[in-house]
Amino acid sequence: MSKIKPSKGAPYARILGVGGYRPTRVVPNEVILEKIDSSDEWIRSRSGIETRHWASPEETVAAMSIEASGKAIANAGIAASQIGAVVVSTVSHFSQTPAVATEIADKLGTDKAAAFDISAGCAGFGYGLTLAKGMVVEGSAEYVLVIGVERLSDLTDLEDRATAFLFGDGAGAVVVGPSQEPGIGPTVWGSEGDKSETIKQTVSWDRFAIGDVSELPLDSEGNVKFPAITQEGQAVFRWAVFEMAKVAQQALDAAGISPDDLDVFIPHQANVRIIDSMVKTLKLPEHVMVARDIRTTGNTSAASIPLAMERLLATGEAKSGDTALVIGFGAGLVYAATVVTLP
């Protein structure tokens, strides 16, 4: 018989507060068109994107995270010192170590909270949310701060017609804490590594460091291009529309609800056409509010779901207590979907 005492966590967990930060610089499609042969109409029709936010040098991954987290903590009605763990999902913090989560935890004023980064691309927020739920229920932390943050403008090839217009910067954060009733449903998550080539970094950091131009992509002026994110657009579109709709339905089934029970749908803000196709495939009723934050924010990867959630609540398009389906999907290929009660 084990001598280990059982954990004493909360019976359930839920999102208690949400916060977001968008960089001050707003970038319209006209700026993107300076480098690629396209049009504003084409970008809008293909992606739905009208503008995106790009960070200044001062708006670092840590700085944006701290701004968003401060709002989430205040919204949750707790003190930063009560945060027991900080989980940061990002692919655009360029320092391999230490984790940026440790800097954020310290500057927020937590009491030596556990802190670590994860890399799960556009599904990163869902991964972090699942980890946070486990910590709260298991008892290793009473309150967990989950942050999705990206500076994808640093990883954008402005001469790549397929991706130059897609990406934006920003940070979204939520506080997960104890609840007496279910507030975060079972997570349906996974990966399809056989499709990893469809979304990837153009050049690995070690190859870039070597600087052998014979093997590295060059820009229009003959300079070595900084590593960027590239994707096979049609393959990603087909996968997202057909396979991720199935995952979303599985998350609804796991939570024991039907589309009619939903109030809000918050998918990863990858592409308006993908979002609209998923709505159609899932046969969501007209009363379900659908997040389309991508129009003015672009694709912010791990930050897109909490940013969209924060905007829906701020505008009154969604309200506290609403039942929402959230799903993230992206590079890996990885995915995560769950049903949550909005804070």
Side-chain angles (χ1 to χ4, degrees):
M1 181 178 292
S2 174
K3 297 180 181 179
I4 301 173
K5 293 181 179 180
S7 301
K8 293 183 179 180
Y12 304 103
R14 66 167 292 166
I15 299 173
L16 300 176
V18 60
Y21 180 82
R22 292 171 174 81
T24 55
R25 183 187 177 192
V26 177
V27 179
N29 288 337
E30 285 73 19
V31 172
I32 307 298
L33 295 173
E34 294 173 4
K35 294 278 189 176
I36 60 172
D37 179 18
S38 187
S39 69
D40 177 63
E41 190 279 331
W42 187 89
I43 293 174
R44 291 182 187 229
S45 65
R46 299 288 292 182
S47 68
I49 299 172
E50 301 166 10
T51 61
R52 74 282 293 145
H53 295 255
W54 283 356
S56 67
E58 294 75 27
E59 291 169 313
T60 64
V61 165
M64 292 190 293
S65 297
I66 290 167
E67 290 290 334
S69 298
K71 296 176 184 177
I73 292 168
N75 188 239
I78 65 170
S81 59
Q82 293 176 269
I83 298 292
V86 177
V87 183
V88 177
S89 178
T90 185
V91 298
S92 49
H93 176 59
F94 294 154
S95 227
Q96 189 71 38
T97 191
V100 72
T102 59
E103 177 186 349
I104 295 166
D106 176 63
K107 290 185 176 178
L108 284 173
T110 68
D111 186 14
K112 300 180 180 179
F116 58 95
D117 299 348
I118 61 173
S119 175
C122 304
F125 175 75
Y127 275 52
L129 191 64
T130 302
L131 294 172
K133 172 188 173 183
M135 284 185 266
V136 170
V137 173
E138 186 269 340
S140 58
E142 185 176 13
Y143 300 101
V144 180
L145 179 64
V146 179
I147 303 166
V149 57
E150 302 292 2
R151 275 182 53 116
L152 293 181
S153 58
D154 292 335
L155 289 169
T156 299
D157 180 355
L158 294 178
E159 295 182 341
D160 180 0
R161 188 173 184 271
T163 61
F165 58 89
L166 283 176
F167 303 119
D169 303 337
V174 298
V175 173
V176 176
S179 174
Q180 292 303 307
E181 58 183 18
I184 302 173
T187 300
V188 177
W189 57 353
S191 65
E192 298 185 34
D194 60 317
K195 300 179 179 67
S196 61
E197 291 295 303
T198 57
I199 306 175
K200 64 180 182 179
Q201 185 172 305
T202 52
V203 181
S204 66
W205 295 115
D206 58 341
R207 294 305 307 164
F208 179 76
I210 292 172
D212 182 354
V213 296
S214 65
E215 297 184 20
L216 298 177
L218 306 178
D219 64 20
S220 57
E221 298 179 354
N223 301 311
V224 174
K225 287 186 178 182
F226 192 74
I229 297 172
T230 186
Q231 68 176 29
E232 298 174 15
Q234 288 302 312
V236 173
F237 181 87
R238 289 192 298 270
W239 176 77
V241 169
F242 297 108
E243 297 305 319
M244 291 305 97
K246 297 175 186 176
V247 171
Q249 183 60 57
Q250 291 169 14
L252 291 175
D253 295 341
I257 67 172
S258 72
D260 289 336
D261 298 315
L262 276 181
D263 300 304
V264 185
F265 179 42
I266 311 178
H268 163 50
Q269 302 294 291
N271 182 304
V272 164
R273 292 169 62 220
I274 290 175
I275 294 171
D276 291 345
S277 296
M278 291 182 71
V279 168
K280 184 177 180 179
T281 302
L282 288 167
K283 298 179 180 179
L284 296 184
E286 289 188 8
H287 75 263
V288 176
M289 173 56 61
V290 179
R292 293 185 175 86
D293 189 49
I294 188 172
R295 295 189 188 281
T296 56
T297 306
N299 180 342
T300 56
S301 188
S304 78
I305 291 175
L307 277 174
M309 182 185 296
E310 185 254 1
R311 173 162 282 173
L312 288 175
L313 289 167
T315 59
E317 295 172 282
K319 62 184 185 299
S320 175
D322 278 354
T323 300
L325 169 63
V326 300
I327 179 169
F329 45 87
L333 294 168
V334 295
Y335 55 87
T338 189
V339 175
V340 303
T341 300
L342 294 183

